[in-house]
Amino acid sequence: MEIRPLKIAGAWEITPKQFGDHRGVFLEWFKSSTFTAATGRTLDLAQANCSVSEAGSLRGIHFTDNPPGQAKYITCVKGAFLDVVVDLRVGSPTFGEWDAVVIDDVDRRAVFLAEGLGHAILSLEDGSTVMYLCSIEYSPHLDRDLDPFDPELAIDWPKTDRQGNPLTYELSAKDAAAPSLTTLRTDGLLPGFVAEESPNR
């Protein structure tokens, strides 16, 4: 398992080693000891989710009030997604910046993001399936949304699916009505940045 820090402190890309034979493939998509050695923290599991999406389905940008915050460990078990992490921590050196990883059923990468970071996924193939581990249970009163098309973020969303066909973005009504980064900051709804947070290694 290889763990690579993304450009935003608190986010990592995890690439597992795959072992295959005539029967199929085996891999470890999460291993606590390896994760802790690379990130310097643990992941307390409180909830595990599964989401199936048609091509063009865009979920996010979502984040949770911090504290308590919600850390997530995400992988794709079928199809492909663009997984996007956004730094929403006011005072962070990378505030407002984003990084992205393609997670799919070929390389079988995972993405981890710490509390205080925003998250979105865009499905690149019909029937794409993502599974993720969460550090706290879903609590609607803590859940926040951010406009994924906010020009201040300027996220470079793919225009085509894995086969090169044009994508039509599909959002939930809640995500389509999400406020901008500036509005969230003005309203005091963004998490703060703790300077002594450990940087990625």
Side-chain angles (χ1 to χ4, degrees), residues 31-166:
K31 189 169 186 176
S32 180
S33 59
T34 304
F35 174 80
T36 298
T39 66
R41 59 162 293 160
T42 59
L43 175 60
D44 298 321
L45 176 61
Q47 185 169 320
N49 299 330
C50 177
S51 176
V52 181
S53 300
E54 296 304 289
S57 296
L58 176 52
R59 302 178 186 272
I61 301 167
H62 300 151
F63 66 102
T64 304
D65 284 351
N66 189 29
Q70 185 186 60
K72 296 178 181 178
Y73 191 103
I74 308 104
T75 195
C76 174
V77 295
K78 179 184 177 186
F81 292 88
L82 183 72
D83 190 293
V84 176
V85 180
V86 183
D87 193 347
L88 303 178
R89 302 165 299 186
V90 176
S92 167
T94 54
F95 174 76
E97 295 185 23
W98 60 274
D99 204 351
V101 175
V102 172
I103 55 174
D104 61 23
D105 55 12
V106 178
D107 296 316
R108 303 187 185 276
R109 293 186 180 95
V111 171
F112 171 77
L113 60 145
E115 299 84 352
L117 298 177
H119 182 246
I121 53 173
L122 172 65
S123 176
L124 303 176
E125 184 176 293
D126 286 344
S128 292
T129 304
V130 72
M131 300 185 72
Y132 52 106
L133 311 177
C134 303
S135 63
I136 65 169
E137 294 182 6
Y138 170 66
S139 301
H141 65 286
L142 299 176
D143 195 38
R144 303 285 181 191
D145 307 294
L146 167 61
D147 179 4
F149 301 113
D150 186 340
E152 185 175 355
L153 298 174
I155 296 172
D156 185 17
W157 296 108
K159 304 294 191 296
T160 59
D161 64 15
R162 270 217 293 199
Q163 288 73 41
N165 302 311

